[in-house]
Amino acid sequence: MNFKFAKNKSAEVMHLHGYKRMCAIGSFLLIALYCGTSTATTPPNKDAGFADPTKVLRTIFPVAETGFDPAATRDLYSNTINEVVFERLFSYDYLASPARVIPETAAELPEVSADGKNYTIRLKKGIYFSPDDAFKGKKRELTVEDYVYSFKRLMDPKIASSHRWLLEDKIIGLDAYAAKAKKTGKFDYDVKIPGLEIVDKYTLRIHLSRPDFNLPMILSYAAMSAVAREVIEKYQDLQGLAMANPVGTGPYKLTEWVRGSKMVLDANPDYRPVYWDYAASADPADQQIVKAMKGKRMPQIGKVIVNVILEDQSRLLAFQKDEVDLFQLYGGLAPQVMKNGKLKPEFEKKGVQLSRIIDPELTIYYWNMQDPVWGGLSKEKIALRRAVAMAHKVEDEIRIVDNGEAVPLEFPIPPSVVGHDPKYRSSIQYNPAAANALLDQFGYKKGKDGYRTLPDGQPLEITYTAQTESRGKLQAEVWKKTYDSVGIRMKVDFRPFAEILKAEKQCQLTQRISPWIADYPDGDNFMQLFYSKNIHMNNNGCVAIPEYDKLYEASQKLPAGEERDALYHKMARVMEVYSAQRIGYARYRNMLSQARVIGYKKHPVMHVEWTYIDIDKNK
């Protein structure tokens, strides 16, 4: 591999000269290591057959799913199902650290032009969708046209996908056509888009309006999965979504679904031969995983049963009664199972396994910037938000709600993500005395009852929205103490998770704790959360600050590195000045598995690892 580096002021810009592999050489691509081989290169392990139907993995979702259309699914848990039913052009190496992009349905990594604007992607031949009535009894092969169709759906105004930001202002001709469709009310999927050139049924060229150094990672995200047009047109609702009929080319297919209660997935018998072939990272435990799994055809597990259990204690009890093989141990339960980040002896003796990482996650506390009381950029509104931000002690919330199973953050980009700065210190620090003084200064006076009014004398109250589960109730209690400490009334609005997501997208909530787990491990995925064009998509606080937008747009023209990092620092300061939100924390992800589960390791980016693990039926 040969790379040419060109000086660009304070940063080095990587120009990729049509080579199929892109390695992270240089300081600006610390995570996206575009090197590796297909998983189908190792000869099969003759002792490990394909998808044994008697191998059953039982797991849990802590909240209800919302549906299974990649263009529309926003929540982590529904996307977990999407990730194994559908496939992307690229995926991630199971064990590589830092995370590394590898081909999934693509035959190889992309060829990239010298200017970084043109990607040539070749598809593997002989990949087929699961049989469905939509195909009228014919075998339906995956082609690049399916990806083009799927990408177009993200930009269809009728669908109003919250994922359209992944492609906006990037692919030549796509935005212009989406704008036209918005005016005419019709998105014609047969219209050719110059930036999505179908060379032949197995070759796609993507022509970008500007270089996008994260494109391979974006193409690895669940929203970029291939769906079949026939399936969508057969099952779509009035909005053009097919949330209840997922048909993909992935290793599993959904065979049973009781909404909000249970999902059953069977291994896809038509899934092409793919063999476990990953090298150990620096983690010593990886050697055992490689020894147990290398050469096995994937998936090994024939059936996955997912039950929705809302209450923390009920989930742990199901695991202790051996009714569950794999589940996430949230912080509220951690003291019952763990001590000092390790399993207690009684669980170790039973062979229980723990896989523990800090999630590439940012949890923020936002105030709706369109709210008539709490939003806006005037000095008194900024003072109000800033005062509450200063009155909230993140460490107390971590201790009370998560039993210490999280790390406080000062910078919007979390650890293990490119662009994270562990030395950054926010200008907003816990100081309730200063918070009260600030409110006094800007006319938020306390009445005889001890609660403040607006500067015009009208009552001041905040409506805080939380999930109905126990975690949401604990969070509400913590925030009630915060608001009481500065003399502001707080009303709690408890709602189911799916309802919160819907209202949030429409800027209808005043305040909420909002977690974001990386779609891809680059700082751009977090800084876009506050970009005004992403309101009604990922900008849950509905923030529109022109200064921030200008800096964000400039950052998108740069590769990862010092020059982009400098912009990220300025953007973080802008957000602190306007106090549109308070940076919170990133949680530990503690995944517990029974002794019979083989090869499990929590991946930092992929939602789910079912395809890569095995079950020992003798345990």
Side-chain angles (χ1 to χ4, degrees):
M1 286 170 288
N2 296 312
F3 297 94
K4 180 180 179 181
F5 294 88
K7 293 292 182 180
N8 180 17
K9 295 183 180 178
S10 62
E12 290 182 321
V13 179
M14 178 182 287
H15 293 279
L16 305 173
H17 285 266
Y19 288 91
K20 296 176 182 177
R21 296 183 183 179
M22 300 180 293
C23 285
I25 299 175
S27 62
F28 51 83
L29 285 175
L30 302 180
I31 292 284
L33 301 180
Y34 306 121
C35 304
T37 59
S38 165
T39 57
T41 59
T42 296
N45 181 337
K46 294 181 180 179
D47 297 326
F50 170 68
D52 184 342
T54 65
K55 291 180 178 180
V56 180
L57 181 76
R58 302 159 300 169
T59 188
I60 297 172
F61 284 173
V63 297
E65 75 295 338
T66 58
F68 312 112
D69 186 330
T73 302
R74 293 186 69 209
D75 65 289
L76 169 66
Y77 303 101
S78 301
N79 266 326
T80 295
I81 303 297
N82 287 344
E83 200 169 87
V84 294
V85 170
F86 302 97
E87 289 187 291
R88 282 66 51 200
L89 288 162
F90 304 103
S91 183
Y92 290 92
D93 185 302
Y94 182 48
L95 296 181
S97 180
R100 183 169 69 193
V101 172
I102 61 172
E104 186 163 77
T105 61
E108 55 203 358
L109 290 166
E111 295 180 5
V112 187
S113 63
D115 61 3
K117 293 183 179 181
N118 302 291
Y119 283 72
T120 300
I121 301 169
R122 294 179 176 83
L123 197 63
K124 294 172 185 172
K125 299 178 181 179
I127 299 176
Y128 293 92
F129 285 92
S130 296
D132 189 85
D133 290 344
F135 303 134
K136 300 178 180 179
K138 298 179 181 179
K139 288 189 70 174
R140 173 62 159 79
E141 188 178 14
L142 175 73
T143 70
V144 295
E145 190 170 344
D146 295 309
Y147 282 103
V148 170
Y149 171 73
S150 301
F151 299 166
K152 287 178 177 178
R153 291 187 73 229
L154 301 186
M155 299 295 289
D156 187 341
K158 180 181 178 182
I159 290 175
S161 174
S162 61
H163 304 298
R164 69 179 182 268
W165 68 275
L166 294 164
L167 298 178
E168 274 185 331
D169 301 324
K170 293 179 182 178
I171 296 177
I172 293 173
L174 188 56
D175 292 270
Y177 189 72
K180 180 179 178 182
K182 190 172 184 178
K183 291 181 179 179
T184 63
K186 181 181 179 181
F187 194 105
D188 187 349
Y189 284 91
D190 293 316
V191 169
K192 292 183 179 180
I193 304 296
L196 296 171
E197 179 191 355
I198 298 175
V199 180
D200 56 51
K201 65 188 297 187
Y202 302 112
T203 308
L204 172 65
R205 285 202 184 101
I206 300 177
H207 303 286
L208 303 176
S209 57
R210 56 177 172 79
D212 186 344
F213 301 95
N214 293 323
L215 186 63
M217 286 190 286
I218 289 172
L219 295 176
S220 304
Y221 180 53
M224 308 302 288
S225 299
V227 298
R229 184 171 181 175
E230 304 97 306
V231 172
I232 300 299
E233 291 180 348
K234 179 176 176 62
Y235 300 113
Q236 66 186 352
D237 58 20
L238 293 176
Q239 193 181 343
L241 304 178
M243 297 290 275
N245 300 89
V247 179
T249 63
Y252 288 95
K253 58 182 182 179
L254 186 67
T255 55
E256 181 183 343
W257 181 24
V258 181
R259 289 177 183 269
S261 177
K262 182 180 181 180
M263 287 140 279
V264 177
L265 298 102
D266 290 335
N268 176 7
D270 299 310
Y271 189 58
R272 64 193 178 279
V274 178
Y275 299 98
W276 204 103
D277 184 20
Y278 302 96
S281 70
D283 184 351
D286 286 4
Q287 295 290 349
Q288 291 297 321
I289 295 176
V290 172
K291 183 178 179 180
M293 294 299 299
K294 191 172 180 67
K296 291 183 178 182
R297 184 174 171 185
M298 303 189 298
Q300 284 289 295
I301 296 170
K303 186 183 292 290
V304 179
I305 300 173
V306 183
N307 285 295
V308 177
I309 302 179
L310 301 182
E311 290 302 319
D312 287 353
Q313 196 62 51
S314 297
R315 291 195 294 273
L316 179 57
L317 181 61
F319 183 81
Q320 290 176 310
K321 292 169 65 177
D322 203 17
E323 296 170 353
V324 173
D325 299 295
L326 176 68
F327 92 113
Q328 181 176 352
L329 181 76
Y330 281 97
L333 298 174
Q336 299 182 47
V337 180
M338 299 168 55
K339 186 176 181 180
N340 299 325
K342 296 182 179 180
L343 290 173
K344 290 183 175 180
E346 56 265 37
F347 287 91
E348 285 187 333
K349 289 178 182 178
K350 293 179 180 179
V352 172
Q353 303 170 92
L354 170 66
S355 181
R356 174 178 166 89
I357 65 170
I358 296 177
D359 260 337
E361 174 196 60
L362 169 65
T363 291
I364 63 166
Y365 318 111
Y366 72 75
W367 293 271
N368 183 350
M369 292 293 281
Q370 294 183 5
D371 185 86
V373 173
W374 290 85
L377 302 181
S378 62
K379 290 182 179 180
E380 68 274 10
K381 299 295 181 66
I382 295 171
L384 175 60
R385 295 189 300 267
R386 188 177 183 89
V388 178
M390 293 166 63
H392 189 68
K393 193 172 185 179
V394 177
E395 290 81 0
D396 280 354
E397 181 177 336
I398 290 172
R399 176 176 53 82
I400 294 168
V401 178
D402 289 298
N403 284 298
E405 290 297 306
V407 293
L409 299 179
E410 307 242 356
F411 196 56
I413 301 171
S416 79
V417 174
V418 173
H420 172 66
D421 183 356
K423 297 180 181 179
Y424 183 91
R425 293 294 176 265
S426 172
S427 61
I428 297 177
Q429 298 291 332
Y430 176 66
N431 191 333
N436 277 284
L438 187 63
L439 291 171
D440 291 341
Q441 179 183 347
F442 281 86
Y444 295 94
K445 297 179 181 179
K446 282 187 177 181
K448 294 181 180 180
D449 58 1
Y451 287 104
R452 296 183 184 272
T453 62
L454 291 166
D456 63 3
Q458 295 296 312
L460 172 60
E461 185 179 68
I462 183 78
T463 299
Y464 172 87
T465 301
Q467 293 174 214
T468 53
E469 294 79 34
S470 57
R471 178 181 174 81
K473 293 173 182 177
L474 281 174
Q475 289 170 331
E477 290 175 9
V478 172
W479 272 91
K480 177 70 164 56
K481 292 180 181 178
T482 294
Y483 281 107
D484 282 347
S485 72
V486 288
I488 296 175
R489 288 184 179 86
M490 189 189 95
K491 179 172 68 176
V492 186
D493 171 29
F494 289 112
R495 302 192 192 190
F497 181 60
E499 187 178 325
I500 287 175
L501 293 181
K502 184 177 180 180
E504 189 172 63
K505 188 177 178 181
Q506 300 304 318
C507 300
Q508 294 175 349
L509 306 182
T510 305
Q511 195 209 348
R512 181 192 170 222
I513 295 176
S514 180
W516 179 267
I517 296 178
D519 301 324
Y520 53 90
D522 185 81
D524 176 73
N525 192 230
F526 292 88
M527 304 309 282
Q528 59 86 22
L529 295 173
F530 317 109
Y531 182 46
S532 67
K533 288 188 177 180
N534 290 348
I535 292 175
H536 306 307
M537 291 188 285
N538 304 323
N539 184 342
N540 296 330
C542 306
V543 182
I545 300 175
E547 186 179 353
Y548 185 94
D549 286 353
K550 184 178 179 181
L551 291 168
Y552 176 72
E553 288 166 359
S555 75
Q556 286 209 301
K557 299 174 183 178
L558 298 171
E562 291 182 4
E563 190 173 357
R564 193 183 70 163
D565 288 348
L567 291 180
Y568 284 170
H569 279 222
K570 291 180 181 179
M571 292 156 69
R573 294 301 183 201
V574 168
M575 295 306 295
E576 292 163 17
V577 166
Y578 290 98
S579 299
Q581 78 290 308
R582 169 80 152 86
I583 300 298
Y585 53 84
R587 287 170 289 179
Y588 284 99
R589 183 173 293 249
N590 299 308
M591 299 299 299
L592 295 186
S593 59
Q594 302 287 5
R596 71 181 68 89
V597 176
I598 301 170
Y600 181 82
K601 181 178 182 178
K602 180 60 202 150
H603 193 275
V605 184
M606 293 190 296
H607 295 320
V608 65
E609 300 82 11
W610 303 335
T611 307
Y612 306 90
I613 64 177
D614 200 355
I615 293 282
D616 184 345
K617 295 190 295 181
N618 297 318
K619 291 185 178 181

